[in-house]
């Protein structure tokens, strides 16, 4: 895994957006795997800025989001559908038919998951997958204990994830307890290139664990070592424990 430390959120966002831009330059009809959470917000802002300058075109791009809460409708303000609309899709020329986000309100969630994997396969896989990192090492919503072979599925959220994400909800009780997530197997087998972003001191331990542990089920992000093209981009705070270990 390549490990890049940048000074701050702005540099991380620019570096991440640079990966997206290069992917679109290589292939105008690229397939992007997209993440939510607070970490990639700056990357989306940078992509919108570049789009408005005429630097990038999303008209042929297909996107697959990593995850969505179960039980939230697509217009719920805390759904990842609304997040993506607010941060990216309402600002660029992405075509709605080419935007995929799991439907956490689907009547048959198992079918929804199977159809999602089929759609990824049908699109020819993902050219660039963007990931964030949970404080417990989760990627997407693949919590500790997840299988490295997992495909898209319904998962129970870990208590620490519910707590961490409660900042986006009125209170912890209103955070959904389940989500649909693209599985680790889908991420590893269907992505040609992966970038993982992490910022802030609260991610420092998760970054060290990811970089130093052998792939193991207690730490989902450690499975990224099984992929041949992963770039980890972190700010100085998220890298602070790595620095301490090497000095
Ligand atoms: C959330 C999302 C992940 C995200 C992670 C980190 O629960 N499901 O896709 O990468 O947790 O979130 P944040 O960037 O807000 O720290």
């Amino acid at each position: 895994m390549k490990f890049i430390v940048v000074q701050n959120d702005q540099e991380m966002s620019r570096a991440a957006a640079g990966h997206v831009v290069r992917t679109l330059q290589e292939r105008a009809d690229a397939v992007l795997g997209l993440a939510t959470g607070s970490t990639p917000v700056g990357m989306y802002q940078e992509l919108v800025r570049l789009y408005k300058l005429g630097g990038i075109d999303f008209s042929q791009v297909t996107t697959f989001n990593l995850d969505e809460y179960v039980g939230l409708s697509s217009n719920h303000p805390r759904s990842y559908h609304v997040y993506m609309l607010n941060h990216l899709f309402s600002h660029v020329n992405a075509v709605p038919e080419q935007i995929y986000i799991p439907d956490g309100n689907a009547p048959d969630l198992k079918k929804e998951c199977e159809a999602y994997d089929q759609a990824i396969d049908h699109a020819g896989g993902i050219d660039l997958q963007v990931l964030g990192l949970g404080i417990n090492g989760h990627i997407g919503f693949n919590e500790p204990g997840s299988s490295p072979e997992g495909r898209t599925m319904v998962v129970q959220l870990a208590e620490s994830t519910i707590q961490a994400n409660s900042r986006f909800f009125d209170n912890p009780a209103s955070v959904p307890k389940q989500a649909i997530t693209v599985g680790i197997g889908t991420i590893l087998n269907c992505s040609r290139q992966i970038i993982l972003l992490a910022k802030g001191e609260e991610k420092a331990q998760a970054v060290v664990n990811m970089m130093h542990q052998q792939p193991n089920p207690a730490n989902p992000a450690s499975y990224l070592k099984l992929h041949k093209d992963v770039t980890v981009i972190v700010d100085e705070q998220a890298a602070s424990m790595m620095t301490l270990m090497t000095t």
Side-chain angles (χ1 to χ4, degrees), residues 35-40 66-67 69 80 131-135 138-141 143 157 161 164-165 167-168 197 199 202-203:
T36 51
S38 52
T39 309
L66 271 175
D67 44 20
Y69 292 109
Y80 289 160
L131 296 175
L133 179 66
I135 48 171
H138 75 221
I139 47 176
F141 269 131
E143 301 284 22
L157 299 185
T161 301
N165 289 2
R167 69 193 192 277
F168 300 115
L197 313 178
K199 64 171 184 175
E202 69 274 17
K203 300 289 172 70

Side-chain angles (χ1 to χ4, degrees), residues 31-34 62-66 100-101 116 119-120 123 125-126 129:
V31 181
L32 301 176
L34 298 177
T62 299
T63 64
F64 287 92
N65 262 81
L66 271 175
Y100 292 83
I101 304 175
Y116 206 73
I120 293 175
I126 289 168
Q129 174 67 59

